[in-house]
Amino acid sequence: MALKSTIFKFQLQISDLDRHYYAEHALTLARHPSETDERLVARVLAFGRIADEGIDMTSALCEPDEPDLCIKTLDGRIQHWIDVGQPDARRVLKAAGRADRVTIHPYGGPTSSLWWEGVRKELLRVRKLDVIAFPEAAVKQLAKSVERTCQWQITVQDGEMMVTTGSDCVSLTPDTWREMST
């Protein structure tokens, strides 16, 4: 018998002072049995960092040709493809062919650095790619506070993210490894 996904509900209050974006979002996320709390947190952080009225969580773990998050245009074209973790170079190249912009959010500390060194040379030619890593320590700290129902406040100012959970306040500065060429 296959294991079922666990449902998590996040009530996010996002205040992005850098982009002047202020909104509340109610997310219902299914955590696949193979997904860790750290990866779930990385998905929520990516959502909070790039939040937009058109942003959508997808079922990427079940649908390998889908991003973890995306922003689509009104006609259904993928404007911004967002993945968390360490996707292989072929997946990133394919995403770049389907979207106007691609952002990867690694979150695994030294293993993410090794991943980036392995794919960097091949991906440097992708002009519309951002690689922005979440600090492993902050992701792990936030993963400890994850419950089936969470209320988080995410404030973004000068590139720094402040995440307030019911029991904790975590400050993190995503590390830009590569910025999109214009």
Side-chain angles (χ1 to χ4, degrees):
M1 185 170 153
L3 297 174
K4 294 183 179 182
S5 294
T6 305
I7 304 299
F8 290 83
K9 293 185 182 276
F10 281 84
Q11 191 68 35
L12 299 181
Q13 183 178 25
I14 299 171
S15 300
D16 189 330
L17 285 79
D18 295 344
R19 295 184 304 130
H20 305 289
Y21 178 83
Y22 310 94
E24 290 190 21
H25 293 271
L27 303 179
T28 300
L29 303 175
R31 188 187 70 201
H32 191 271
S34 66
E35 185 176 29
T36 63
D37 283 343
E38 288 82 4
R39 187 172 193 290
L40 179 74
V41 164
R43 287 197 294 152
V44 174
L45 289 174
F47 186 99
R49 190 183 158 278
I50 302 174
D52 181 91
E53 289 304 318
I55 196 167
D56 189 27
M57 290 278 196
T58 67
S59 54
L61 285 174
C62 299
E63 298 292 333
D65 291 336
E66 293 294 319
D68 289 314
L69 301 98
C70 70
I71 299 173
K72 291 186 178 181
T73 61
L74 293 175
D75 63 359
R77 188 176 43 82
I78 298 175
Q79 183 177 10
H80 196 164
W81 177 296
I82 303 117
D83 269 346
V84 298
Q86 303 166 11
D88 64 33
R90 284 188 320 258
R91 177 176 170 84
V92 177
L93 293 170
K94 190 174 182 179
R98 291 182 58 195
D100 297 339
R101 183 175 192 169
V102 177
T103 301
I104 308 298
H105 284 293
Y107 60 90
T111 59
S112 290
S113 296
L114 288 172
W115 162 80
W116 178 237
E117 287 307 312
V119 299
R120 184 173 157 224
K121 189 173 182 179
E122 190 172 356
L123 297 181
L124 283 178
R125 66 178 189 219
V126 180
R127 294 181 57 191
K128 51 186 164 182
L129 174 66
D130 292 320
V131 180
I132 302 166
F134 293 129
E136 181 181 32
V139 171
K140 285 186 174 192
Q141 186 177 353
L142 287 166
K144 290 177 186 175
S145 70
V146 169
E147 297 176 2
R148 298 283 295 272
T149 302
C150 297
Q151 290 188 354
W152 287 11
Q153 291 179 314
I154 299 175
T155 304
V156 180
Q157 184 175 12
D158 298 329
E160 184 177 350
M161 296 178 75
M162 179 73 67
V163 182
T164 306
T165 69
S167 60
D168 213 353
C169 186
V170 177
S171 177
L172 63 121
T173 303
D175 188 12
T176 301
W177 292 354
R178 184 184 193 292
E179 275 189 296
M180 182 171 93
S181 303
T182 52

